[in-house]
Amino acid sequence: MEKQKFHYDNSIVKAFLYATIVFGVVGFILGITAALMLFYPELPEFLLGTDDTTIQSLRSGNIQGLIHSQGALGFGRIRMLHTSAVIFAFVCNSFFCGAYYSLQRLLKTRMYSDTLSWIHFWTWQLMIVSVVITFIMGINTSKEYAEHEWPIDILIAFSWIIFGVNMFATIAKRRVRHLYV
């Protein structure tokens, strides 16, 4: 029996791993910020300052100044950023990292296309960045855990289709016929 040499594509695994770590920290910071804002609603004004004198009336229970002042740093937007950072950026990047790592080893072959892997990686990161930009601008659908606007949903679908094509093509060209996991 002849020994065959081949190499796995670990660069895509590392890229998703680094993205997982970065977005895990970002999601954690956003979660801590949202939790702090539940107890201290005036936190953005305290940290960044404000010209609104009605913020001083928060201690007496008047929240009208707070409603008009927070904008991009308000609790609603921070909460949306936190949930999307954790679900789409942290969890999905870690899933893709694990999928790219294990798929190659289970099938004893490289991914079908390195180009498709990198297109998948960059479209997913582009989706995350576009979510952050649109949420900070206040553009969303106001549906719990589905706040993205339709162009971002199309980008998500495109990215998953690219991943699916690459995954099923890798399964088709595998070097091990019998799959047991």
Side-chain angles (χ1 to χ4, degrees):
M1 181 193 296
E2 170 188 333
K3 280 195 172 187
Q4 298 176 349
K5 289 197 175 210
F6 60 93
H7 301 282
Y8 298 125
D9 180 19
N10 287 326
S11 61
I12 192 69
V13 176
K14 287 179 185 177
F16 275 112
L17 180 64
Y18 294 146
T20 299
I21 293 168
V22 167
F23 288 122
V25 170
V26 168
F28 176 76
I29 290 170
L30 287 169
I32 291 291
T33 305
L36 283 172
M37 288 175 74
L38 288 173
F39 288 102
Y40 305 108
E42 67 275 3
L43 186 64
E45 286 77 13
F46 176 74
L47 293 175
L48 303 174
T50 183
D51 295 335
D52 191 358
T53 57
T54 58
I55 293 299
Q56 302 301 327
S57 66
L58 281 173
R59 302 212 189 286
S60 64
N62 181 8
I63 65 167
Q64 196 60 37
L66 189 63
I67 291 171
H68 297 297
S69 67
Q70 287 188 353
L73 296 175
F75 175 77
R77 294 187 188 172
I78 296 291
R79 185 210 56 82
M80 286 190 310
L81 285 170
H82 165 67
T83 55
S84 288
V86 170
I87 294 168
F88 290 99
F90 175 68
V91 172
C92 287
N93 272 322
S94 64
F95 166 76
F96 293 136
C97 175
Y100 278 110
Y101 181 84
S102 61
L103 197 63
Q104 296 179 82
R105 281 150 182 83
L106 289 171
L107 303 175
K108 302 282 190 259
T109 188
R110 284 178 67 92
M111 293 303 293
Y112 172 74
S113 170
D114 292 346
T115 304
L116 285 178
S117 298
W118 284 106
I119 290 172
H120 172 233
F121 175 78
W122 287 114
T123 56
W124 196 257
Q125 306 318 310
L126 176 67
M127 179 274 301
I128 293 167
V129 169
S130 59
V131 164
V132 169
I133 291 169
T134 56
F135 283 2
I136 288 176
M137 292 173 59
I139 302 170
N140 61 64
T141 61
S142 300
K143 296 176 186 168
E144 189 73 23
Y145 301 111
E147 290 102 347
H148 317 108
E149 287 292 333
W150 65 269
I152 297 174
D153 291 337
I154 291 172
L155 190 58
I156 290 170
F158 176 76
S159 187
W160 274 101
I161 289 168
I162 292 294
F163 174 67
V165 166
N166 202 9
M167 180 183 68
F168 288 119
T170 303
I171 292 171
K173 78 163 200 162
R174 68 186 184 262
R175 297 173 61 202
V176 180
R177 289 293 125 205
H178 179 69
L179 296 179
Y180 176 76
V181 180

